[in-house]
Amino acid sequence: MAGVLAAATMVVHFGALLYIGLGGFLAWKWPKSIFLHVFFAAWGVLVNVFPVPCPLTALENHFRRQQGLGDLPGGFNDHYIIGVLFPADYIHVVAVGALVLLVVSYAGAYVRWRGRRVDADAMVAAR
């Protein structure tokens, strides 16, 4: 059972990372979702820049220890992403790309939100 829970935690962790990277684009459709995304994005920066443990990594490590396995070597990113999904030498390129995605998603959300406000104001004024 611990193996299934560790695998499920890993899947949830990948989902959280996708949301951190791309969730700002959801605010283009659902503007209020930006508040949840800001929390996730800040948390992602916090655990990757400062020595703050990620609760999902801690949870996966807990389930791994129940199986008699050790903690993830180097943590979640080092074990599953860096050197696996992209070469370790490109970490700075990936970080800049993630920042660009974040800025574009937030700028687009703001432009769309602003457009909706202008349209709503125009409708009110037309009455």
Side-chain angles (χ1 to χ4, degrees), residues 86-105:
F86 62 85
D89 294 344
Y90 288 94
I91 187 72
H92 293 4
V93 173
V94 171
V96 168
L99 182 61
V100 168
L101 272 176
L102 185 70
V103 168
V104 167
S105 71

mmCIF file of all heavy atoms in Angstrom, residues 86-105:
data_model
loop_
_atom_site.group_PDB
_atom_site.id
_atom_site.type_symbol
_atom_site.label_atom_id
_atom_site.label_comp_id
_atom_site.label_asym_id
_atom_site.label_seq_id
_atom_site.Cartn_x
_atom_site.Cartn_y
_atom_site.Cartn_z
ATOM 1 N N PHE A 86 15.409 17.193 -18.413
ATOM 2 C CA PHE A 86 16.293 18.110 -19.134
ATOM 3 C C PHE A 86 17.683 18.000 -18.501
ATOM 4 O O PHE A 86 17.811 17.630 -17.338
ATOM 5 C CB PHE A 86 15.778 19.558 -19.090
ATOM 6 C CG PHE A 86 15.691 20.144 -17.718
ATOM 7 C CD1 PHE A 86 16.791 20.744 -17.119
ATOM 8 C CD2 PHE A 86 14.503 20.098 -17.012
ATOM 9 C CE1 PHE A 86 16.713 21.282 -15.847
ATOM 10 C CE2 PHE A 86 14.403 20.635 -15.743
ATOM 11 C CZ PHE A 86 15.532 21.224 -15.158
ATOM 12 N N PRO A 87 18.719 18.303 -19.283
ATOM 13 C CA PRO A 87 20.080 18.204 -18.732
ATOM 14 C C PRO A 87 20.301 19.186 -17.581
ATOM 15 O O PRO A 87 19.786 20.307 -17.599
ATOM 16 C CB PRO A 87 20.980 18.571 -19.924
ATOM 17 C CG PRO A 87 20.127 18.409 -21.130
ATOM 18 C CD PRO A 87 18.715 18.651 -20.694
ATOM 19 N N ALA A 88 21.055 18.759 -16.607
ATOM 20 C CA ALA A 88 21.321 19.589 -15.425
ATOM 21 C C ALA A 88 21.963 20.924 -15.795
ATOM 22 O O ALA A 88 21.747 21.921 -15.115
ATOM 23 C CB ALA A 88 22.199 18.826 -14.441
ATOM 24 N N ASP A 89 22.729 20.948 -16.869
ATOM 25 C CA ASP A 89 23.383 22.193 -17.294
ATOM 26 C C ASP A 89 22.388 23.263 -17.720
ATOM 27 O O ASP A 89 22.747 24.431 -17.826
ATOM 28 C CB ASP A 89 24.345 21.926 -18.459
ATOM 29 C CG ASP A 89 25.521 21.063 -18.048
ATOM 30 O OD1 ASP A 89 25.765 20.923 -16.833
ATOM 31 O OD2 ASP A 89 26.204 20.522 -18.949
ATOM 32 N N TYR A 90 21.145 22.885 -17.983
ATOM 33 C CA TYR A 90 20.136 23.827 -18.469
ATOM 34 C C TYR A 90 19.206 24.338 -17.374
ATOM 35 O O TYR A 90 18.184 24.946 -17.674
ATOM 36 C CB TYR A 90 19.300 23.186 -19.586
ATOM 37 C CG TYR A 90 20.071 23.038 -20.865
ATOM 38 C CD1 TYR A 90 20.732 21.856 -21.158
ATOM 39 C CD2 TYR A 90 20.141 24.080 -21.773
ATOM 40 C CE1 TYR A 90 21.450 21.721 -22.336
ATOM 41 C CE2 TYR A 90 20.854 23.958 -22.953
ATOM 42 C CZ TYR A 90 21.508 22.769 -23.226
ATOM 43 O OH TYR A 90 22.214 22.648 -24.383
ATOM 44 N N ILE A 91 19.560 24.126 -16.118
ATOM 45 C CA ILE A 91 18.683 24.529 -15.010
ATOM 46 C C ILE A 91 18.382 26.026 -15.043
ATOM 47 O O ILE A 91 17.257 26.442 -14.792
ATOM 48 C CB ILE A 91 19.258 24.101 -13.635
ATOM 49 C CG1 ILE A 91 18.243 24.370 -12.517
ATOM 50 C CG2 ILE A 91 20.568 24.798 -13.333
ATOM 51 C CD1 ILE A 91 17.075 23.469 -12.500
ATOM 52 N N HIS A 92 19.372 26.841 -15.405
ATOM 53 C CA HIS A 92 19.139 28.289 -15.446
ATOM 54 C C HIS A 92 18.210 28.657 -16.596
ATOM 55 O O HIS A 92 17.370 29.551 -16.457
ATOM 56 C CB HIS A 92 20.451 29.045 -15.560
ATOM 57 C CG HIS A 92 21.325 28.923 -14.339
ATOM 58 N ND1 HIS A 92 21.015 28.133 -13.261
ATOM 59 C CD2 HIS A 92 22.503 29.492 -14.019
ATOM 60 C CE1 HIS A 92 21.944 28.227 -12.347
ATOM 61 N NE2 HIS A 92 22.872 29.047 -12.780
ATOM 62 N N VAL A 93 18.334 27.971 -17.716
ATOM 63 C CA VAL A 93 17.445 28.219 -18.858
ATOM 64 C C VAL A 93 16.012 27.856 -18.483
ATOM 65 O O VAL A 93 15.070 28.596 -18.789
ATOM 66 C CB VAL A 93 17.914 27.421 -20.095
ATOM 67 C CG1 VAL A 93 16.921 27.532 -21.237
ATOM 68 C CG2 VAL A 93 19.300 27.860 -20.527
ATOM 69 N N VAL A 94 15.849 26.738 -17.809
ATOM 70 C CA VAL A 94 14.517 26.302 -17.379
ATOM 71 C C VAL A 94 13.943 27.295 -16.367
ATOM 72 O O VAL A 94 12.757 27.637 -16.439
ATOM 73 C CB VAL A 94 14.568 24.868 -16.807
ATOM 74 C CG1 VAL A 94 13.252 24.484 -16.165
ATOM 75 C CG2 VAL A 94 14.945 23.879 -17.902
ATOM 76 N N ALA A 95 14.758 27.776 -15.448
ATOM 77 C CA ALA A 95 14.286 28.744 -14.449
ATOM 78 C C ALA A 95 13.826 30.041 -15.127
ATOM 79 O O ALA A 95 12.772 30.582 -14.787
ATOM 80 C CB ALA A 95 15.382 29.033 -13.431
ATOM 81 N N VAL A 96 14.600 30.509 -16.090
ATOM 82 C CA VAL A 96 14.208 31.731 -16.814
ATOM 83 C C VAL A 96 12.936 31.469 -17.613
ATOM 84 O O VAL A 96 12.020 32.298 -17.644
ATOM 85 C CB VAL A 96 15.358 32.228 -17.718
ATOM 86 C CG1 VAL A 96 14.882 33.302 -18.680
ATOM 87 C CG2 VAL A 96 16.516 32.736 -16.869
ATOM 88 N N GLY A 97 12.858 30.309 -18.260
ATOM 89 C CA GLY A 97 11.644 29.954 -19.011
ATOM 90 C C GLY A 97 10.419 29.908 -18.118
ATOM 91 O O GLY A 97 9.341 30.391 -18.489
ATOM 92 N N ALA A 98 10.570 29.368 -16.913
ATOM 93 C CA ALA A 98 9.449 29.315 -15.965
ATOM 94 C C ALA A 98 9.036 30.719 -15.554
ATOM 95 O O ALA A 98 7.834 31.019 -15.458
ATOM 96 C CB ALA A 98 9.841 28.488 -14.747
ATOM 97 N N LEU A 99 10.011 31.586 -15.333
ATOM 98 C CA LEU A 99 9.702 32.968 -14.975
ATOM 99 C C LEU A 99 8.982 33.681 -16.114
ATOM 100 O O LEU A 99 8.011 34.409 -15.886
ATOM 101 C CB LEU A 99 10.976 33.722 -14.589
ATOM 102 C CG LEU A 99 10.799 35.161 -14.152
ATOM 103 C CD1 LEU A 99 9.921 35.239 -12.906
ATOM 104 C CD2 LEU A 99 12.154 35.806 -13.890
ATOM 105 N N VAL A 100 9.425 33.455 -17.339
ATOM 106 C CA VAL A 100 8.767 34.052 -18.503
ATOM 107 C C VAL A 100 7.324 33.563 -18.604
ATOM 108 O O VAL A 100 6.401 34.347 -18.836
ATOM 109 C CB VAL A 100 9.552 33.762 -19.799
ATOM 110 C CG1 VAL A 100 8.746 34.105 -21.038
ATOM 111 C CG2 VAL A 100 10.879 34.516 -19.796
ATOM 112 N N LEU A 101 7.105 32.258 -18.426
ATOM 113 C CA LEU A 101 5.738 31.713 -18.442
ATOM 114 C C LEU A 101 4.870 32.387 -17.391
ATOM 115 O O LEU A 101 3.717 32.743 -17.660
ATOM 116 C CB LEU A 101 5.758 30.213 -18.174
ATOM 117 C CG LEU A 101 5.920 29.287 -19.341
ATOM 118 C CD1 LEU A 101 6.011 27.838 -18.857
ATOM 119 C CD2 LEU A 101 4.798 29.439 -20.330
ATOM 120 N N LEU A 102 5.418 32.559 -16.201
ATOM 121 C CA LEU A 102 4.672 33.191 -15.113
ATOM 122 C C LEU A 102 4.298 34.626 -15.477
ATOM 123 O O LEU A 102 3.140 35.026 -15.329
ATOM 124 C CB LEU A 102 5.499 33.158 -13.828
ATOM 125 C CG LEU A 102 4.817 33.670 -12.582
ATOM 126 C CD1 LEU A 102 3.733 32.703 -12.146
ATOM 127 C CD2 LEU A 102 5.828 33.866 -11.474
ATOM 128 N N VAL A 103 5.260 35.393 -15.974
ATOM 129 C CA VAL A 103 4.999 36.788 -16.326
ATOM 130 C C VAL A 103 3.978 36.882 -17.455
ATOM 131 O O VAL A 103 3.037 37.687 -17.390
ATOM 132 C CB VAL A 103 6.314 37.517 -16.696
ATOM 133 C CG1 VAL A 103 6.041 38.863 -17.335
ATOM 134 C CG2 VAL A 103 7.198 37.669 -15.471
ATOM 135 N N VAL A 104 4.122 36.050 -18.481
ATOM 136 C CA VAL A 104 3.185 36.070 -19.610
ATOM 137 C C VAL A 104 1.784 35.691 -19.136
ATOM 138 O O VAL A 104 0.796 36.330 -19.512
ATOM 139 C CB VAL A 104 3.665 35.144 -20.743
ATOM 140 C CG1 VAL A 104 2.579 34.903 -21.774
ATOM 141 C CG2 VAL A 104 4.910 35.717 -21.409
ATOM 142 N N SER A 105 1.690 34.661 -18.299
ATOM 143 C CA SER A 105 0.363 34.234 -17.841
ATOM 144 C C SER A 105 -0.306 35.314 -16.999
ATOM 145 O O SER A 105 -1.496 35.570 -17.148
ATOM 146 C CB SER A 105 0.447 32.916 -17.067
ATOM 147 O OG SER A 105 1.064 33.074 -15.810
#
